Amino acid sequence: MSRLDSFIRRLTAQRDILNAIVALVNGTEGPVLEFGLGNGRTYDHLREHFPDRRIIAFDREVRSYSSSTPPAENMVTGDIRKSGQAFIGIGAALAHADIGTGHDEIDAITLTWLPQLMVGVLARDGIAVSGLPLDRPELEPLPLPAGVKEGRYFLYRRQ
Ligand code: SAM
């Protein structure tokens, strides 16, 4: 599979999962956390699906399109490994992490802290969506929407 095909499949999986979890997330109170704002594509999608939720976005710096940039009070800059710690216990209904790089050695370092952070920020029954696998006993893997291949993107519920 070419890198273009792989990229398209990953984004399709990302979108299909975000579309599929709306009702699940709506069963839980709390904000939505977007780890890895990037240019704001998934932030914009989340905003469409959850217009009444506070959505807090994180990135090293703001590089999103101006129309997809959160208000300053909902934008957290810096390394998520550190900046995320202040949000432990916030009781998020959804945390989406799109901070994988495709470089195994970098992603292995992210995986030393991201699963624990995701557990820490989520409310009970909160939903975790991630581009990297989150191997934690508190996170129950959920079935993926039809058409999304196992291992392409990851979906869990916080127990
Ligand atoms: N989902 C975004 C979108 O749809 O536009 C794309 C996210 S992009 C693939 C990943 C982003 O995560 C990058 O902007 C990068 O700067 C950010 N990122 C990765 N690791 C990070 C870390 N440890 N701390 C802060 N930001 C990080």
Side-chain angles (χ1 to χ4, degrees):
M1 193 194 311
S2 73
R3 286 183 55 215
L4 177 61
D5 285 330
S6 166
F7 180 68
I8 289 168
R9 286 181 191 192
R10 195 176 71 79
L11 291 197
T12 302
Q14 184 182 60
R15 182 207 53 199
D16 290 352
I17 291 175
L18 293 178
N19 287 348
I21 47 108
V22 174
L24 277 180
V25 172
N26 281 337
T28 305
E29 287 186 7
V32 171
L33 304 190
E34 168 78 328
F35 290 123
L37 175 66
N39 74 29
R41 275 189 293 250
T42 47
Y43 169 77
D44 190 43
H45 203 71
L46 290 169
R47 205 168 45 172
E48 260 187 37
H49 282 313
F50 303 106
D52 301 324
R53 300 259 178 178
R54 182 181 180 201
I55 305 177
I56 308 169
F58 299 73
D59 211 305
R60 290 202 167 84
E61 57 186 5
V62 179
R63 286 184 297 117
S64 47
Y65 288 0
S66 56
S67 62
S68 304
T69 298
E73 66 272 20
N74 290 336
M75 182 71 225
V76 180
T77 52
D79 186 344
I80 294 162
R81 183 178 191 166
K82 287 190 184 145
S83 65
Q85 298 304 312
F87 294 81
I88 300 277
I90 193 169
L94 168 65
H96 172 226
D98 183 15
I99 60 172
T101 63
H103 297 284
D104 290 347
E105 63 286 2
I106 298 174
D107 292 344
I109 294 171
T110 302
L111 284 172
T112 63
W113 55 267
L114 180 64
Q116 198 170 344
L117 176 64
M118 294 288 269
V119 168
V121 297
L122 283 170
R124 179 176 291 270
D125 290 331
I127 299 296
V129 177
S130 174
L132 293 173
L134 305 173
D135 186 14
R136 289 284 302 190
E138 302 91 335
L139 296 174
E140 172 199 6
L142 294 179
L144 297 169
V148 177
K149 199 174 156 197
E150 212 59 47
R152 194 164 280 151
Y153 221 73
F154 299 89
L155 174 62
Y156 307 87
R157 176 168 36 217
R158 166 81 158 99
Q159 293 182 321

